[in-house]
Every structure is written in structure tokens, then in C-alpha cells.
Amino acid sequence: MVQDGIEQKDWTAPKHPPHVPIWKLSIYARINGVSGLWSTCLMVLLGAIALSSVFLSADPKGDISITSLKVFQGKAKRYPYKKQEFGFVNFNITADLTPLFNWNTKQLFLYLEAEYTNAQGVKNDVVLWDRIVRRKEDAVINFSGKNKYKFRELSKTFKKVTPAHYALKYNVMPYVGMLTYGEAARTTEAIEFPEAQESMS
């Protein structure tokens, strides 16, 4: 605006474009708006589910008894010309894991672990047995058996290793959120490894 030869600025507020109703938008704009709204709602819902399950506390209890522990000399398939010691563990497990199940629990990964330190001072955690529990009805465990996986020491021998503790541990896998870990049972006393026998008899 020019007044008396002097240019003056127009300080009036700028006019905003008129609001366009959604039914006048293109089909792509409508789909984009609706999908964005649903995505936001879904993310909020999943976040609420994950946070709600974090505050649920569960402390399952169980019991482990090692009925037999033997060590035999043998040969691994990978190194058939080298002798190596193998451990054979018989055990009983009882545990009630039903408190771990809630609306956000997909399944449990349950495993038995042997914990010991070898002659070189290296701490070892060896998984001997495991099971996947997918239903709350199957979460009461009463199992007797032996190690499912080979139990061997990387140094080829169990001599001079510390006595081992055995622990029943679990991993909770949720539908939404982070994995959580815990322990349901542990042997009260460490168990020594016996002398290796030449062959199984």
C-alpha cells in the first residue's frame, strides 16, 4: 500500500485457505488419513498392553533333585580321534509356572542349566534340557528324565572343575514388549563331578 508517496506494509492477518471437507478430498488422501489414524490407535493400544504386563509380578516356585550324575570317556563326532569326557545327568523337576501366564504371555521357554567353573577359572552355564510351554494348562511341570543335550567340558575333562549347581530358568515371550528372564528352582547344594569311567556299563 502506498500513501503520500510512502510505502506501508499491510499488517492484516494472512488469510488461511478454506477448510476442505474430507468427502471432497481425493481417494488417496482419504486412505492416507484413515490409515494414519488407525496406525496411531494401534500403536497406543500395543504400548498400553506392554506397559500393563510389566507391572504384573510373578514368582513361580519349583524344585530340582539330581538323582544321578556320571561321567564317561568317549569321542565326539567332530573329533573322532580325541578322547573327551561326557556327563550324564538324571533329574526330577517339579514347578508351577501358571503365575507367569497373563493376557500378554505368548509362551514360556523353560530350561535346566548346569553352572560351574572349569580348571582355567572360566564360568560355564550349560543348557542340559529345555521345553516350550504354550498354554497355561501345561505350565505345571512334573518331569523325570536325563539331559537332552550333550554335557561336555571344552577342556575335554571334568577334572579339577568346581562342583556344579543346577538351576531351572525360564524366559517369558510376550505378544508385545520385552523378553523377561527368571529362575524357578535351584539345587541347594553343589554336586561334585565323579571320576570318569572308561565306558558306559
Side-chain angles (χ1 to χ4, degrees):
M1 179 184 297
V2 179
Q3 186 176 359
D4 297 332
I6 301 175
E7 184 178 357
Q8 297 182 355
K9 294 183 179 181
D10 188 1
W11 296 102
T12 58
K15 294 183 179 180
H16 295 284
H19 176 70
V20 179
I22 191 171
W23 59 82
K24 291 187 178 181
L25 298 175
S26 66
I27 185 64
Y28 301 106
R30 296 181 193 179
I31 294 175
N32 185 47
V34 173
S35 62
L37 175 62
W38 279 105
S39 298
T40 302
C41 294
L42 179 61
M43 294 301 295
V44 171
L45 177 61
L46 295 179
I49 293 174
L51 288 176
S52 64
S53 60
V54 168
F55 298 102
L56 294 177
S57 59
D59 187 22
K61 299 297 183 182
D63 182 70
I64 303 173
S65 62
I66 304 301
T67 59
S68 174
L69 173 58
K70 296 181 179 180
V71 178
F72 295 96
Q73 293 185 359
K75 297 179 181 179
K77 292 182 178 180
R78 188 173 182 180
Y79 304 103
Y81 301 104
K82 294 183 179 180
K83 284 190 176 182
Q84 187 174 4
E85 294 181 0
F86 294 87
F88 294 85
V89 184
N90 289 355
F91 56 88
N92 296 327
I93 292 176
T94 57
D96 184 4
L97 305 177
T98 54
L100 295 173
F101 276 86
N102 55 59
W103 58 82
N104 194 30
T105 302
K106 181 179 181 180
Q107 63 184 20
L108 305 178
F109 180 67
L110 184 67
Y111 55 101
L112 177 66
E113 198 171 70
E115 304 171 352
Y116 66 93
T117 302
N118 65 13
Q120 289 74 33
V122 179
K123 189 177 184 299
N124 290 269
D125 298 324
V126 183
V127 175
L128 304 178
W129 171 88
D130 61 16
R131 173 182 290 185
I132 295 176
V133 182
R134 293 187 172 90
R135 301 188 309 165
K136 187 175 182 179
E137 294 77 8
D138 301 328
V140 178
I141 309 299
N142 189 359
F143 178 80
S144 298
K146 60 182 180 179
N147 49 302
K148 183 177 178 181
Y149 304 106
K150 289 183 178 180
F151 187 15
R152 57 186 179 181
E153 163 59 30
L154 292 179
S155 62
K156 311 300 182 185
T157 178
F158 287 103
K159 292 180 180 179
K160 297 182 180 180
V161 304
T162 61
H165 280 281
Y166 297 83
L168 182 64
K169 300 182 180 181
Y170 59 84
N171 177 6
V172 182
M173 302 179 185
Y175 287 104
V176 182
M178 298 177 60
L179 303 177
T180 56
Y181 298 83
E183 183 176 294
R186 174 177 289 270
T187 52
T188 56
E189 297 181 357
I191 301 174
E192 293 186 1
F193 290 91
E195 290 290 332
Q197 302 179 35
E198 289 294 333
S199 60
M200 300 180 61
S201 58

